Amino acid sequence: MRDTSHIYCVAMKIRLTLLTSLCIALAGAYVFGQGGAPQPSKLDVVKLKDDMFVIHNAVVPGNTTVLVTNEGVVLVDDKFAVDYDNIVAEVKKITPQPIKFVVNTHHHGDHSGGNAKMQAAGVQIVTSEAARKYMADGNLPGQPAVTFVDRGFIHLGGKAVELYQFGRAHTGGDTFVYFPAQRVLSTGDAYTLSPETPQLIDYAGGGSAKDWPDTIARALNLEFDTVVPGHGTVVTKNDLRAFHGEVTAVRTKVHDMIVQKKTKDEIWAMLQRDHKWNQFQQRSIDGLMLELQ
Ligand SMILES: [Zn+2]
């Protein structure tokens, strides 16, 4: 299942078959060359703090968080392999420091696709043990050598990065990356902006609409002001609170409708009407009904 996941390209109306890359369905506009080979996304950089930046895809709104220290750079997510050269170039514009660590928020190819090239350049890749298992199951290149369970830390140049696994959400291995001094939280696809980049539940990859609200609630216990979603523009803690309300409402309403013996079509109509779910999310409907009955 995982190695035949379909990637849908909203803007280009192209459908491909590639390794586990559910979340590119989010944004769509993945640009392909004449031979169908993926082309690098155009990147731009958003400055959050003097030592913190986001490398944002101009077209596909995916995010790579950058922490600069005087002993090297920590990145959160490394996009596709084809984006590697441009990510490195953007980091070089920010700082002469080398990239030392990449944290993958989860196993999807648009967040971990650069791993093999990063490793070849001497970068240490870190993710949750669960996310690494999904990478191994999918035989994905660039599997991390270092993993953590529940909570991990990276200490570099006197700065701390905290890694949290708060539970299942978009996948079964979602990692939240917390920068306490900067009061910034990078969520991966456990939080994406809707409706531009809606909530997607990767059931084959351990995702859970049932656990999702509790996972977000645990993240909200951290002290931060700024949120870097997996896809979409940088927002605030209040936006993440609103998203918590959204995923909670989906869980409650779908469960209640199943109890009331509503049909799948009726539930789907509610999700489209009340929560702006789209055709990509429709793939999750069977798993959703099974989980929330
Ligand atoms: Zn994803």
Side-chain angles (χ1 to χ4, degrees), residues 202-236:
D202 179 3
Y203 279 110
S208 170
K210 189 176 184 179
D211 291 359
W212 201 315
D214 303 323
T215 299
I216 297 295
R218 291 182 195 110
L220 285 167
N221 285 332
L222 297 171
E223 293 189 2
F224 57 92
D225 306 311
T226 305
V227 181
V228 182
H231 300 262
T233 52
V234 174
V235 291
T236 67

PDB file of all heavy atoms in Angstrom, residues 202-236:
ATOM      1  N   ASP A 202      -2.999   9.808   7.346  1.00  0.00           N
ATOM      2  CA  ASP A 202      -2.328   8.705   6.646  1.00  0.00           C
ATOM      3  C   ASP A 202      -2.537   7.433   7.457  1.00  0.00           C
ATOM      4  O   ASP A 202      -1.693   7.059   8.273  1.00  0.00           O
ATOM      5  CB  ASP A 202      -0.841   9.024   6.486  1.00  0.00           C
ATOM      6  CG  ASP A 202      -0.094   7.897   5.776  1.00  0.00           C
ATOM      7  OD1 ASP A 202      -0.744   6.904   5.364  1.00  0.00           O
ATOM      8  OD2 ASP A 202       1.137   8.001   5.636  1.00  0.00           O
ATOM      9  N   TYR A 203      -3.657   6.771   7.206  1.00  0.00           N
ATOM     10  CA  TYR A 203      -3.946   5.567   7.997  1.00  0.00           C
ATOM     11  C   TYR A 203      -2.916   4.475   7.762  1.00  0.00           C
ATOM     12  O   TYR A 203      -2.535   3.757   8.687  1.00  0.00           O
ATOM     13  CB  TYR A 203      -5.373   5.083   7.714  1.00  0.00           C
ATOM     14  CG  TYR A 203      -6.405   5.861   8.508  1.00  0.00           C
ATOM     15  CD1 TYR A 203      -7.272   6.738   7.886  1.00  0.00           C
ATOM     16  CD2 TYR A 203      -6.477   5.740   9.892  1.00  0.00           C
ATOM     17  CE1 TYR A 203      -8.190   7.477   8.614  1.00  0.00           C
ATOM     18  CE2 TYR A 203      -7.382   6.477  10.633  1.00  0.00           C
ATOM     19  CZ  TYR A 203      -8.243   7.339   9.994  1.00  0.00           C
ATOM     20  OH  TYR A 203      -9.138   8.075  10.721  1.00  0.00           O
ATOM     21  N   ALA A 204      -2.443   4.332   6.514  1.00  0.00           N
ATOM     22  CA  ALA A 204      -1.419   3.319   6.238  1.00  0.00           C
ATOM     23  C   ALA A 204      -0.125   3.623   6.995  1.00  0.00           C
ATOM     24  O   ALA A 204       0.641   2.726   7.331  1.00  0.00           O
ATOM     25  CB  ALA A 204      -1.146   3.253   4.739  1.00  0.00           C
ATOM     26  N   GLY A 205       0.094   4.884   7.295  1.00  0.00           N
ATOM     27  CA  GLY A 205       1.293   5.305   8.024  1.00  0.00           C
ATOM     28  C   GLY A 205       1.018   5.596   9.486  1.00  0.00           C
ATOM     29  O   GLY A 205       1.761   6.366  10.113  1.00  0.00           O
ATOM     30  N   GLY A 206      -0.040   4.997  10.034  1.00  0.00           N
ATOM     31  CA  GLY A 206      -0.272   5.086  11.473  1.00  0.00           C
ATOM     32  C   GLY A 206      -1.030   6.318  11.930  1.00  0.00           C
ATOM     33  O   GLY A 206      -1.121   6.581  13.133  1.00  0.00           O
ATOM     34  N   GLY A 207      -1.600   7.090  11.005  1.00  0.00           N
ATOM     35  CA  GLY A 207      -2.326   8.309  11.385  1.00  0.00           C
ATOM     36  C   GLY A 207      -3.618   8.001  12.124  1.00  0.00           C
ATOM     37  O   GLY A 207      -4.131   6.885  12.057  1.00  0.00           O
ATOM     38  N   SER A 208      -4.140   8.995  12.829  1.00  0.00           N
ATOM     39  CA  SER A 208      -5.344   8.777  13.631  1.00  0.00           C
ATOM     40  C   SER A 208      -6.113  10.070  13.858  1.00  0.00           C
ATOM     41  O   SER A 208      -5.627  10.975  14.532  1.00  0.00           O
ATOM     42  CB  SER A 208      -4.963   8.174  14.988  1.00  0.00           C
ATOM     43  OG  SER A 208      -6.086   8.161  15.857  1.00  0.00           O
ATOM     44  N   ALA A 209      -7.354  10.114  13.336  1.00  0.00           N
ATOM     45  CA  ALA A 209      -8.242  11.248  13.617  1.00  0.00           C
ATOM     46  C   ALA A 209      -8.727  11.195  15.058  1.00  0.00           C
ATOM     47  O   ALA A 209      -9.042  12.226  15.654  1.00  0.00           O
ATOM     48  CB  ALA A 209      -9.434  11.226  12.661  1.00  0.00           C
ATOM     49  N   LYS A 210      -8.764   9.979  15.615  1.00  0.00           N
ATOM     50  CA  LYS A 210      -9.241   9.813  16.987  1.00  0.00           C
ATOM     51  C   LYS A 210      -8.251  10.389  17.999  1.00  0.00           C
ATOM     52  O   LYS A 210      -8.638  11.067  18.962  1.00  0.00           O
ATOM     53  CB  LYS A 210      -9.460   8.315  17.257  1.00  0.00           C
ATOM     54  CG  LYS A 210     -10.147   8.012  18.558  1.00  0.00           C
ATOM     55  CD  LYS A 210     -10.405   6.506  18.668  1.00  0.00           C
ATOM     56  CE  LYS A 210     -11.179   6.179  19.927  1.00  0.00           C
ATOM     57  NZ  LYS A 210     -11.450   4.725  20.004  1.00  0.00           N
ATOM     58  N   ASP A 211      -6.975  10.140  17.758  1.00  0.00           N
ATOM     59  CA  ASP A 211      -5.942  10.609  18.693  1.00  0.00           C
ATOM     60  C   ASP A 211      -5.501  12.041  18.411  1.00  0.00           C
ATOM     61  O   ASP A 211      -4.888  12.684  19.272  1.00  0.00           O
ATOM     62  CB  ASP A 211      -4.704   9.696  18.613  1.00  0.00           C
ATOM     63  CG  ASP A 211      -4.985   8.314  19.187  1.00  0.00           C
ATOM     64  OD1 ASP A 211      -6.120   8.077  19.649  1.00  0.00           O
ATOM     65  OD2 ASP A 211      -4.070   7.465  19.158  1.00  0.00           O
ATOM     66  N   TRP A 212      -5.786  12.532  17.216  1.00  0.00           N
ATOM     67  CA  TRP A 212      -5.242  13.812  16.756  1.00  0.00           C
ATOM     68  C   TRP A 212      -5.507  14.964  17.740  1.00  0.00           C
ATOM     69  O   TRP A 212      -4.575  15.695  18.112  1.00  0.00           O
ATOM     70  CB  TRP A 212      -5.784  14.136  15.366  1.00  0.00           C
ATOM     71  CG  TRP A 212      -4.993  15.105  14.556  1.00  0.00           C
ATOM     72  CD1 TRP A 212      -4.459  16.292  14.970  1.00  0.00           C
ATOM     73  CD2 TRP A 212      -4.624  14.964  13.182  1.00  0.00           C
ATOM     74  NE1 TRP A 212      -3.802  16.904  13.926  1.00  0.00           N
ATOM     75  CE2 TRP A 212      -3.885  16.122  12.829  1.00  0.00           C
ATOM     76  CE3 TRP A 212      -4.853  13.987  12.211  1.00  0.00           C
ATOM     77  CZ2 TRP A 212      -3.380  16.312  11.537  1.00  0.00           C
ATOM     78  CZ3 TRP A 212      -4.351  14.189  10.932  1.00  0.00           C
ATOM     79  CH2 TRP A 212      -3.621  15.330  10.595  1.00  0.00           C
ATOM     80  N   PRO A 213      -6.771  15.147  18.217  1.00  0.00           N
ATOM     81  CA  PRO A 213      -7.001  16.287  19.127  1.00  0.00           C
ATOM     82  C   PRO A 213      -6.162  16.205  20.401  1.00  0.00           C
ATOM     83  O   PRO A 213      -5.658  17.236  20.882  1.00  0.00           O
ATOM     84  CB  PRO A 213      -8.498  16.181  19.451  1.00  0.00           C
ATOM     85  CG  PRO A 213      -9.083  15.416  18.300  1.00  0.00           C
ATOM     86  CD  PRO A 213      -8.027  14.435  17.900  1.00  0.00           C
ATOM     87  N   ASP A 214      -6.005  15.010  20.952  1.00  0.00           N
ATOM     88  CA  ASP A 214      -5.226  14.867  22.192  1.00  0.00           C
ATOM     89  C   ASP A 214      -3.745  15.157  21.929  1.00  0.00           C
ATOM     90  O   ASP A 214      -3.048  15.721  22.780  1.00  0.00           O
ATOM     91  CB  ASP A 214      -5.400  13.462  22.759  1.00  0.00           C
ATOM     92  CG  ASP A 214      -6.875  13.141  23.009  1.00  0.00           C
ATOM     93  OD1 ASP A 214      -7.613  14.058  23.418  1.00  0.00           O
ATOM     94  OD2 ASP A 214      -7.298  12.005  22.755  1.00  0.00           O
ATOM     95  N   THR A 215      -3.279  14.753  20.756  1.00  0.00           N
ATOM     96  CA  THR A 215      -1.891  15.032  20.379  1.00  0.00           C
ATOM     97  C   THR A 215      -1.644  16.540  20.307  1.00  0.00           C
ATOM     98  O   THR A 215      -0.659  17.054  20.851  1.00  0.00           O
ATOM     99  CB  THR A 215      -1.586  14.360  19.016  1.00  0.00           C
ATOM    100  OG1 THR A 215      -1.764  12.949  19.163  1.00  0.00           O
ATOM    101  CG2 THR A 215      -0.181  14.657  18.544  1.00  0.00           C
ATOM    102  N   ILE A 216      -2.574  17.252  19.664  1.00  0.00           N
ATOM    103  CA  ILE A 216      -2.436  18.716  19.557  1.00  0.00           C
ATOM    104  C   ILE A 216      -2.553  19.372  20.940  1.00  0.00           C
ATOM    105  O   ILE A 216      -1.827  20.327  21.257  1.00  0.00           O
ATOM    106  CB  ILE A 216      -3.497  19.297  18.594  1.00  0.00           C
ATOM    107  CG1 ILE A 216      -3.304  18.763  17.169  1.00  0.00           C
ATOM    108  CG2 ILE A 216      -3.446  20.832  18.602  1.00  0.00           C
ATOM    109  CD1 ILE A 216      -2.019  19.172  16.497  1.00  0.00           C
ATOM    110  N   ALA A 217      -3.448  18.854  21.773  1.00  0.00           N
ATOM    111  CA  ALA A 217      -3.627  19.427  23.122  1.00  0.00           C
ATOM    112  C   ALA A 217      -2.318  19.336  23.913  1.00  0.00           C
ATOM    113  O   ALA A 217      -1.951  20.280  24.636  1.00  0.00           O
ATOM    114  CB  ALA A 217      -4.739  18.692  23.855  1.00  0.00           C
ATOM    115  N   ARG A 218      -1.591  18.239  23.767  1.00  0.00           N
ATOM    116  CA  ARG A 218      -0.303  18.095  24.478  1.00  0.00           C
ATOM    117  C   ARG A 218       0.698  19.106  23.945  1.00  0.00           C
ATOM    118  O   ARG A 218       1.453  19.720  24.713  1.00  0.00           O
ATOM    119  CB  ARG A 218       0.226  16.673  24.327  1.00  0.00           C
ATOM    120  CG  ARG A 218      -0.621  15.656  25.076  1.00  0.00           C
ATOM    121  CD  ARG A 218      -0.075  14.228  24.989  1.00  0.00           C
ATOM    122  NE  ARG A 218      -1.111  13.306  25.409  1.00  0.00           N
ATOM    123  CZ  ARG A 218      -1.766  12.462  24.605  1.00  0.00           C
ATOM    124  NH1 ARG A 218      -1.434  12.371  23.311  1.00  0.00           N
ATOM    125  NH2 ARG A 218      -2.715  11.682  25.063  1.00  0.00           N
ATOM    126  N   ALA A 219       0.703  19.308  22.648  1.00  0.00           N
ATOM    127  CA  ALA A 219       1.625  20.296  22.065  1.00  0.00           C
ATOM    128  C   ALA A 219       1.308  21.702  22.582  1.00  0.00           C
ATOM    129  O   ALA A 219       2.215  22.506  22.833  1.00  0.00           O
ATOM    130  CB  ALA A 219       1.539  20.262  20.538  1.00  0.00           C
ATOM    131  N   LEU A 220       0.026  21.987  22.763  1.00  0.00           N
ATOM    132  CA  LEU A 220      -0.378  23.319  23.229  1.00  0.00           C
ATOM    133  C   LEU A 220       0.084  23.600  24.653  1.00  0.00           C
ATOM    134  O   LEU A 220       0.105  24.757  25.088  1.00  0.00           O
ATOM    135  CB  LEU A 220      -1.902  23.477  23.116  1.00  0.00           C
ATOM    136  CG  LEU A 220      -2.438  23.700  21.697  1.00  0.00           C
ATOM    137  CD1 LEU A 220      -3.952  23.527  21.654  1.00  0.00           C
ATOM    138  CD2 LEU A 220      -2.047  25.087  21.176  1.00  0.00           C
ATOM    139  N   ASN A 221       0.449  22.559  25.397  1.00  0.00           N
ATOM    140  CA  ASN A 221       0.971  22.760  26.750  1.00  0.00           C
ATOM    141  C   ASN A 221       2.361  23.404  26.759  1.00  0.00           C
ATOM    142  O   ASN A 221       2.795  23.930  27.786  1.00  0.00           O
ATOM    143  CB  ASN A 221       1.039  21.429  27.504  1.00  0.00           C
ATOM    144  CG  ASN A 221      -0.338  20.968  27.958  1.00  0.00           C
ATOM    145  OD1 ASN A 221      -1.224  21.787  28.193  1.00  0.00           O
ATOM    146  ND2 ASN A 221      -0.517  19.665  28.075  1.00  0.00           N
ATOM    147  N   LEU A 222       3.067  23.334  25.629  1.00  0.00           N
ATOM    148  CA  LEU A 222       4.380  23.970  25.550  1.00  0.00           C
ATOM    149  C   LEU A 222       4.213  25.492  25.485  1.00  0.00           C
ATOM    150  O   LEU A 222       3.157  25.996  25.095  1.00  0.00           O
ATOM    151  CB  LEU A 222       5.131  23.485  24.302  1.00  0.00           C
ATOM    152  CG  LEU A 222       5.461  21.994  24.255  1.00  0.00           C
ATOM    153  CD1 LEU A 222       5.997  21.619  22.873  1.00  0.00           C
ATOM    154  CD2 LEU A 222       6.457  21.602  25.334  1.00  0.00           C
ATOM    155  N   GLU A 223       5.272  26.189  25.858  1.00  0.00           N
ATOM    156  CA  GLU A 223       5.216  27.660  25.837  1.00  0.00           C
ATOM    157  C   GLU A 223       5.871  28.179  24.569  1.00  0.00           C
ATOM    158  O   GLU A 223       7.099  28.098  24.407  1.00  0.00           O
ATOM    159  CB  GLU A 223       5.915  28.212  27.081  1.00  0.00           C
ATOM    160  CG  GLU A 223       5.158  27.860  28.344  1.00  0.00           C
ATOM    161  CD  GLU A 223       5.707  28.571  29.572  1.00  0.00           C
ATOM    162  OE1 GLU A 223       6.662  29.362  29.416  1.00  0.00           O
ATOM    163  OE2 GLU A 223       5.178  28.313  30.660  1.00  0.00           O
ATOM    164  N   PHE A 224       5.044  28.663  23.659  1.00  0.00           N
ATOM    165  CA  PHE A 224       5.560  29.188  22.388  1.00  0.00           C
ATOM    166  C   PHE A 224       4.601  30.238  21.867  1.00  0.00           C
ATOM    167  O   PHE A 224       3.433  30.312  22.279  1.00  0.00           O
ATOM    168  CB  PHE A 224       5.726  28.056  21.357  1.00  0.00           C
ATOM    169  CG  PHE A 224       4.468  27.275  21.085  1.00  0.00           C
ATOM    170  CD1 PHE A 224       3.615  27.637  20.056  1.00  0.00           C
ATOM    171  CD2 PHE A 224       4.120  26.182  21.877  1.00  0.00           C
ATOM    172  CE1 PHE A 224       2.446  26.941  19.817  1.00  0.00           C
ATOM    173  CE2 PHE A 224       2.943  25.473  21.640  1.00  0.00           C
ATOM    174  CZ  PHE A 224       2.104  25.846  20.604  1.00  0.00           C
ATOM    175  N   ASP A 225       5.095  31.071  20.967  1.00  0.00           N
ATOM    176  CA  ASP A 225       4.285  32.119  20.345  1.00  0.00           C
ATOM    177  C   ASP A 225       4.047  31.843  18.868  1.00  0.00           C
ATOM    178  O   ASP A 225       3.015  32.186  18.314  1.00  0.00           O
ATOM    179  CB  ASP A 225       4.995  33.482  20.454  1.00  0.00           C
ATOM    180  CG  ASP A 225       5.364  33.802  21.897  1.00  0.00           C
ATOM    181  OD1 ASP A 225       4.490  33.683  22.766  1.00  0.00           O
ATOM    182  OD2 ASP A 225       6.549  34.146  22.139  1.00  0.00           O
ATOM    183  N   THR A 226       5.056  31.223  18.250  1.00  0.00           N
ATOM    184  CA  THR A 226       5.084  31.101  16.788  1.00  0.00           C
ATOM    185  C   THR A 226       4.994  29.629  16.398  1.00  0.00           C
ATOM    186  O   THR A 226       5.644  28.778  17.017  1.00  0.00           O
ATOM    187  CB  THR A 226       6.396  31.699  16.244  1.00  0.00           C
ATOM    188  OG1 THR A 226       6.496  33.051  16.717  1.00  0.00           O
ATOM    189  CG2 THR A 226       6.439  31.680  14.729  1.00  0.00           C
ATOM    190  N   VAL A 227       4.208  29.354  15.366  1.00  0.00           N
ATOM    191  CA  VAL A 227       4.038  27.981  14.895  1.00  0.00           C
ATOM    192  C   VAL A 227       4.441  27.901  13.429  1.00  0.00           C
ATOM    193  O   VAL A 227       3.959  28.674  12.600  1.00  0.00           O
ATOM    194  CB  VAL A 227       2.572  27.520  15.038  1.00  0.00           C
ATOM    195  CG1 VAL A 227       2.416  26.078  14.560  1.00  0.00           C
ATOM    196  CG2 VAL A 227       2.111  27.651  16.489  1.00  0.00           C
ATOM    197  N   VAL A 228       5.342  26.954  13.132  1.00  0.00           N
ATOM    198  CA  VAL A 228       5.697  26.663  11.751  1.00  0.00           C
ATOM    199  C   VAL A 228       4.962  25.383  11.372  1.00  0.00           C
ATOM    200  O   VAL A 228       5.325  24.294  11.818  1.00  0.00           O
ATOM    201  CB  VAL A 228       7.217  26.462  11.577  1.00  0.00           C
ATOM    202  CG1 VAL A 228       7.546  26.203  10.107  1.00  0.00           C
ATOM    203  CG2 VAL A 228       7.992  27.659  12.105  1.00  0.00           C
ATOM    204  N   PRO A 229       3.898  25.489  10.582  1.00  0.00           N
ATOM    205  CA  PRO A 229       3.169  24.282  10.200  1.00  0.00           C
ATOM    206  C   PRO A 229       3.951  23.478   9.168  1.00  0.00           C
ATOM    207  O   PRO A 229       4.917  23.978   8.579  1.00  0.00           O
ATOM    208  CB  PRO A 229       1.866  24.831   9.603  1.00  0.00           C
ATOM    209  CG  PRO A 229       2.152  26.225   9.207  1.00  0.00           C
ATOM    210  CD  PRO A 229       3.337  26.709   9.988  1.00  0.00           C
ATOM    211  N   GLY A 230       3.542  22.239   8.934  1.00  0.00           N
ATOM    212  CA  GLY A 230       4.202  21.429   7.912  1.00  0.00           C
ATOM    213  C   GLY A 230       4.103  22.077   6.537  1.00  0.00           C
ATOM    214  O   GLY A 230       5.029  22.057   5.747  1.00  0.00           O
ATOM    215  N   HIS A 231       2.940  22.646   6.273  1.00  0.00           N
ATOM    216  CA  HIS A 231       2.690  23.372   5.023  1.00  0.00           C
ATOM    217  C   HIS A 231       1.881  24.608   5.365  1.00  0.00           C
ATOM    218  O   HIS A 231       1.017  24.572   6.220  1.00  0.00           O
ATOM    219  CB  HIS A 231       1.899  22.511   4.029  1.00  0.00           C
ATOM    220  CG  HIS A 231       2.591  21.242   3.641  1.00  0.00           C
ATOM    221  ND1 HIS A 231       3.316  21.119   2.481  1.00  0.00           N
ATOM    222  CD2 HIS A 231       2.675  20.049   4.276  1.00  0.00           C
ATOM    223  CE1 HIS A 231       3.815  19.891   2.402  1.00  0.00           C
ATOM    224  NE2 HIS A 231       3.443  19.216   3.484  1.00  0.00           N
ATOM    225  N   GLY A 232       2.161  25.681   4.679  1.00  0.00           N
ATOM    226  CA  GLY A 232       1.395  26.909   4.897  1.00  0.00           C
ATOM    227  C   GLY A 232       2.242  27.979   5.551  1.00  0.00           C
ATOM    228  O   GLY A 232       3.403  27.752   5.908  1.00  0.00           O
ATOM    229  N   THR A 233       1.666  29.148   5.734  1.00  0.00           N
ATOM    230  CA  THR A 233       2.419  30.271   6.284  1.00  0.00           C
ATOM    231  C   THR A 233       2.632  30.114   7.784  1.00  0.00           C
ATOM    232  O   THR A 233       1.900  29.398   8.465  1.00  0.00           O
ATOM    233  CB  THR A 233       1.673  31.591   6.030  1.00  0.00           C
ATOM    234  OG1 THR A 233       0.335  31.432   6.492  1.00  0.00           O
ATOM    235  CG2 THR A 233       1.639  31.939   4.554  1.00  0.00           C
ATOM    236  N   VAL A 234       3.641  30.801   8.286  1.00  0.00           N
ATOM    237  CA  VAL A 234       3.944  30.793   9.716  1.00  0.00           C
ATOM    238  C   VAL A 234       2.821  31.521  10.455  1.00  0.00           C
ATOM    239  O   VAL A 234       2.378  32.592  10.032  1.00  0.00           O
ATOM    240  CB  VAL A 234       5.301  31.480   9.966  1.00  0.00           C
ATOM    241  CG1 VAL A 234       5.583  31.616  11.458  1.00  0.00           C
ATOM    242  CG2 VAL A 234       6.414  30.704   9.266  1.00  0.00           C
ATOM    243  N   VAL A 235       2.343  30.923  11.557  1.00  0.00           N
ATOM    244  CA  VAL A 235       1.196  31.474  12.287  1.00  0.00           C
ATOM    245  C   VAL A 235       1.497  31.524  13.790  1.00  0.00           C
ATOM    246  O   VAL A 235       2.651  31.389  14.200  1.00  0.00           O
ATOM    247  CB  VAL A 235      -0.082  30.642  11.998  1.00  0.00           C
ATOM    248  CG1 VAL A 235      -0.528  30.840  10.551  1.00  0.00           C
ATOM    249  CG2 VAL A 235       0.148  29.173  12.331  1.00  0.00           C
ATOM    250  N   THR A 236       0.455  31.704  14.590  1.00  0.00           N
ATOM    251  CA  THR A 236       0.631  31.871  16.034  1.00  0.00           C
ATOM    252  C   THR A 236      -0.014  30.714  16.800  1.00  0.00           C
ATOM    253  O   THR A 236      -0.725  29.889  16.229  1.00  0.00           O
ATOM    254  CB  THR A 236      -0.026  33.172  16.515  1.00  0.00           C
ATOM    255  OG1 THR A 236      -1.447  33.036  16.363  1.00  0.00           O
ATOM    256  CG2 THR A 236       0.465  34.369  15.719  1.00  0.00           C
TER     257      THR A 236
END
